[in-house]
Amino acid sequence: FQHAAALSPPWPPTAVYPAASPPPPSSPPPPPPPPFWSLSPRQALEELYASAGGADGKWRYATNWTTGGDVCRWWGVTCSKEVAASGGGEVIGLNLQGNRLEGTLPRSLASLSRLIAIDADGNEGLSGTLPPELRRLSASFASLSLDETAVSGTLPALLTSSLTLLQKIELEQTRISGTVPHHFKLPRLRQLDLRRTSISGTFPATAAASLFSLQFLDLDRSALSGTLPPELGEAARVGSQFKKKMSSFADVGLRRLEVEDTAISGTIPPSFKHLTQLVQLDLEQSSVSGTLPAAVFESTAQLERLQLDQSRVSGTLPPSLFETASSSFRKLEADATLLSGSLPDSLCAPPTLERIRSSRTRISGTLPPCLGNSSRLEELSVHSASLSGSLPASLSLLARLETCELTRYYTDAAGGYIRAKYDAPVSAAGLAGPSTKRYSLDSRFN
């Protein structure tokens, strides 16, 4: 048995395995995506399509965006007429207004080296912040419109970049917040719309002083405070000098200034006399106070509309307001102000006059008899003022008058108030009798 045991293999037997085969060579890692600034126009637009809901079928219009071909034939894409190296025109504009975009704007847009304008107004599902890479856009970029979107963050960095040709910035009713940068300097900017945003703080003097070409400034219902920047007037003066020397500044001059329902206060600066192209001044429901400077309104020959409702403006209506703008003025809106004095006869000077609203004020005296010459007058509202006297017979000549509110205007001889309503035009004889000093009426003419 000892011999047999010696011949027995060890137990358990040792397993013998074949030699392991060498591992297969590892696959090379995928190449990194190209940097965003080197993307072709097609790649950049494809990223936009994917990032802003196009690939999910959200867009209202997407003609040719999924079929390839020349990007210049894609809906909303505008190209230059020049032939690019890729065989198509260079992309210079994106108009995706109201196209149901959802998502964000990608940084790849910065690779569109000839882009001039982005218009994405009315896309409520467009959100996120603006890519900081947009500052890489070429110096020829001129227009950014994002009204009524959910875009958020602070005023984009591109406002402080080298985009010296930027002409239009529209951010109305977005979620943009923060302040206007002190180094905001855009000498070619014509339109700046920040209404209904959370932009706060003051409008920097250095920024206002650089806006030589500004034509439209809308700050309505924003969170801005401080005072009306006097530098806006000085910038307009400098801009008018450029206008005489350089054709590229041929259309300068602030035309619309709106600060309705803001905390902006102070008085109208004397430098506003340089706003000679002003068409509309809206101070409604603001904290702007003080008088209407005659010197300012001696130069506003283009003025059409002055909105002062529920502001703290006081003093009298300067005759120059209507004399200077005798060929253009249309609407005076001054309800619930501290205005006093009488309505000047010059109020009748503009044949274009359509509306007079000065109710709940301290304005006194009589209605100017010349109002009968204002053949385009549609609304006369002076109720709860301190006017007296007889109604001018000439009022019966106003064929276009639709609304005439003179409540608590006249009383009878006994001092009692009379309220009357009329559904058709009435004559002056029907409004004032020989023994009547004052009437109170609320009349609507059809």
Side-chain angles (χ1 to χ4, degrees):
F1 291 102
Q2 293 180 353
H3 179 71
L7 296 176
S8 299
W11 191 264
T14 303
V16 178
Y17 298 98
S21 59
S26 59
S27 302
F36 71 89
W37 62 84
S38 67
L39 297 178
S40 68
R42 177 188 300 279
Q43 291 171 319
L45 295 179
E46 286 173 345
E47 284 200 13
L48 170 63
Y49 189 70
S51 177
D56 298 326
K58 304 288 188 181
W59 288 18
R60 176 178 294 173
Y61 305 109
T63 306
N64 294 331
W65 279 76
T66 58
T67 59
D70 185 359
V71 296
C72 299
R73 297 181 181 274
W74 295 9
W75 188 90
V77 177
T78 302
C79 293
S80 67
K81 295 181 180 180
E82 301 173 6
V83 177
S86 60
E90 289 276 11
V91 176
I92 60 173
L94 294 174
N95 186 354
L96 302 173
Q97 186 177 23
N99 202 38
R100 298 179 184 166
L101 273 63
E102 291 188 16
T104 60
L105 294 176
R107 63 179 185 172
S108 59
L109 292 179
S111 68
L112 299 174
S113 60
R114 298 287 297 277
L115 193 62
I116 294 175
I118 298 174
D119 187 347
D121 290 352
N123 290 291
E124 296 179 358
L126 190 63
S127 59
T129 59
L130 285 173
E133 290 82 5
L134 288 183
R135 72 182 71 185
R136 286 177 169 267
L137 288 168
S138 73
S140 60
F141 187 74
S143 177
L144 176 66
S145 298
L146 298 173
D147 288 348
E148 299 179 21
T149 66
V151 171
S152 60
T154 58
L155 277 173
L158 65 89
L159 299 185
T160 59
S161 70
S162 60
L163 301 179
T164 56
L165 298 184
L166 196 59
Q167 297 181 20
K168 181 166 72 172
I169 301 171
E170 292 182 323
L171 300 174
E172 176 196 356
Q173 207 167 332
T174 61
R175 298 178 183 177
I176 297 289
S177 59
T179 60
V180 179
H182 284 271
H183 44 291
F184 174 108
K185 294 182 180 179
L186 298 170
R188 304 281 181 155
L189 191 67
R190 297 188 177 190
Q191 184 169 337
L192 178 59
D193 188 350
L194 302 179
R195 57 185 157 172
R196 299 175 184 264
T197 66
S198 297
I199 300 292
S200 59
T202 62
F203 201 97
T206 51
S210 73
L211 301 176
F212 306 129
S213 304
L214 194 63
Q215 296 180 357
F216 176 96
L217 178 59
D218 193 340
L219 308 176
D220 286 356
R221 294 176 174 83
S222 68
L224 283 164
S225 57
T227 60
L228 293 170
E231 292 78 11
L232 286 175
E234 292 301 321
R237 180 184 63 81
V238 174
S240 66
Q241 295 175 349
F242 286 158
K243 178 180 177 179
K244 297 175 183 177
K245 299 177 181 179
M246 302 172 63
S247 59
S248 58
F249 282 88
D251 234 1
V252 299
L254 188 61
R255 297 182 180 182
R256 289 176 60 186
L257 175 59
E258 303 182 34
V259 297
E260 178 182 342
D261 197 10
T262 64
I264 290 177
S265 59
T267 59
I268 299 175
S271 64
F272 275 22
K273 67 182 180 181
H274 299 300
L275 302 181
T276 57
Q277 305 299 312
L278 197 63
V279 172
Q280 180 178 348
L281 178 60
D282 183 358
L283 308 179
E284 183 177 346
Q285 293 182 313
S286 70
S287 297
V288 174
S289 59
T291 61
L292 299 173
V296 168
F297 293 99
E298 286 172 0
S299 62
T300 54
Q302 309 297 322
L303 190 64
E304 296 182 6
R305 188 174 185 181
L306 179 61
Q307 295 165 267
L308 306 172
D309 290 344
Q310 299 180 57
S311 68
R312 299 180 183 178
V313 171
S314 60
T316 61
L317 290 168
S320 60
L321 169 61
F322 310 104
E323 293 168 349
T324 305
S326 60
S327 62
S328 61
F329 195 83
R330 296 189 301 115
K331 298 179 180 181
L332 171 65
E333 299 165 12
D335 284 350
T337 62
L338 300 176
L339 287 173
S340 58
S342 60
L343 294 172
D345 289 338
S346 62
L347 179 63
C348 310
T352 51
L353 189 63
E354 297 174 1
R355 176 182 297 165
I356 301 172
R357 269 202 329 232
S358 60
S359 301
R360 292 172 290 158
T361 65
R362 299 174 183 176
I363 290 177
S364 59
T366 61
L367 281 176
C370 60
L371 280 179
N373 299 327
S374 301
S375 59
R376 298 187 184 180
L377 192 64
E378 298 174 356
E379 179 181 352
L380 175 62
S381 178
V382 290
H383 64 82
S384 301
S386 300
L387 294 166
S388 60
S390 299
L391 285 174
S394 60
L395 288 183
S396 62
L397 303 176
L398 300 176
R400 295 191 181 184
L401 194 62
E402 296 179 352
T403 301
C404 182
E405 297 179 333
L406 307 173
T407 309
R408 297 188 54 142
Y409 183 161
Y410 284 80
T411 61
D412 60 15
Y417 287 108
I418 301 174
R419 180 180 295 275
K421 290 186 180 294
Y422 299 90
D423 296 323
V426 294
S427 66
L431 297 177
S435 63
T436 302
K437 290 183 179 180
R438 296 160 64 176
Y439 271 82
S440 172
L441 52 98
D442 184 349
S443 58
R444 291 187 179 276
F445 298 125
N446 299 317

